[in-house]
């Protein structure tokens, strides 16, 4: 697949895909004899993984380290597992914080809505 096709497929800009490759977030994509990127299934899998992890807010640096370790092969399996577990722990903490924030927002909104309802009722009487 060309970079334009992949861009459309994942709704990621061409510049972002190039950037991911340039910083080592995406392993080097094979190229045609003409120098055009030729994304295969493995590359698409990496992009899906990156998009998923980035949408969860995990840091780019951790992903770059993960990719570097992945490229080292099986000897880095434990280190990769450690990165994923650490990021899972951090993400779980963020989710709990987000739930607490959401609960607070619901309470605040409910307070405003109750206040507006009381004001409307008062105006009608």
């Amino acid at each position: 697949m060309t970079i334009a096709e992949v861009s459309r497929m994942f709704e990621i800009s061409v510049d972002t895909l190039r950037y991911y490759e340039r910083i080592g977030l995406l392993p080097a994509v094979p190229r045609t004899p003409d120098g055009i990127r030729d994304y295969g299934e493995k590359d698409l899998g990496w992009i899906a993984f990156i998009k998923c992890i980035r949408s969860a807010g995990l840091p780019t640096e951790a992903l770059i380290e993960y990719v570097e370790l992945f490229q080292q092969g099986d000897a880095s399996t434990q280190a990769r597992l450690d990165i994923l577990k650490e990021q899972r722990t951090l993400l779980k903490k963020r989710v709990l914080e987000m739930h607490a924030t959401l609960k607070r927002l619901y309470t605040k909104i409910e307070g405003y809505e109750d206040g507006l309802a009381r004001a409307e009722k008062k105006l009608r009487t």
Side-chain angles (χ1 to χ4, degrees), residues 2-123:
T2 67
I3 195 167
E5 292 169 329
V6 173
S7 171
R8 284 190 298 276
M9 174 187 278
F10 287 98
E11 299 179 343
I12 300 173
S13 75
V14 167
D15 289 338
T16 298
L17 288 167
R18 288 184 183 125
Y19 172 73
Y20 285 171
E21 189 177 353
R22 186 173 63 250
I23 66 170
L25 191 56
L26 176 63
V29 176
R31 295 181 182 251
T32 66
D34 296 331
I36 297 170
R37 286 173 178 84
D38 186 19
Y39 293 84
E41 288 301 314
K42 183 178 87 175
D43 306 306
L44 300 179
W46 273 108
I47 295 166
F49 175 70
I50 292 166
K51 188 171 179 181
C52 173
I53 297 298
R54 290 296 300 138
S55 72
L58 275 69
T60 303
E61 295 78 18
L63 282 170
I64 291 170
E65 182 181 1
Y66 178 87
V67 172
E68 288 171 353
L69 288 167
F70 181 84
Q71 291 172 331
Q72 293 174 15
D74 291 343
S76 69
T77 300
Q78 185 61 53
R80 285 181 277 148
L81 179 60
D82 292 344
I83 288 172
L84 294 177
K85 284 182 173 182
E86 178 184 1
Q87 293 307 314
R88 178 183 61 190
T89 299
L90 294 172
L91 184 56
K92 284 169 71 174
K93 182 181 176 190
R94 284 187 58 231
V95 167
L96 290 173
E97 290 168 353
M98 290 172 69
H99 278 290
T101 301
L102 186 59
K103 183 178 178 182
R104 190 169 187 172
L105 284 172
Y106 273 114
T107 301
K108 194 71 150 168
I109 290 167
E110 186 178 299
Y112 279 114
E113 290 174 342
D114 289 348
L116 288 172
R118 283 192 304 275
E120 283 182 26
K121 185 177 180 182
K122 194 174 187 179
L123 285 173

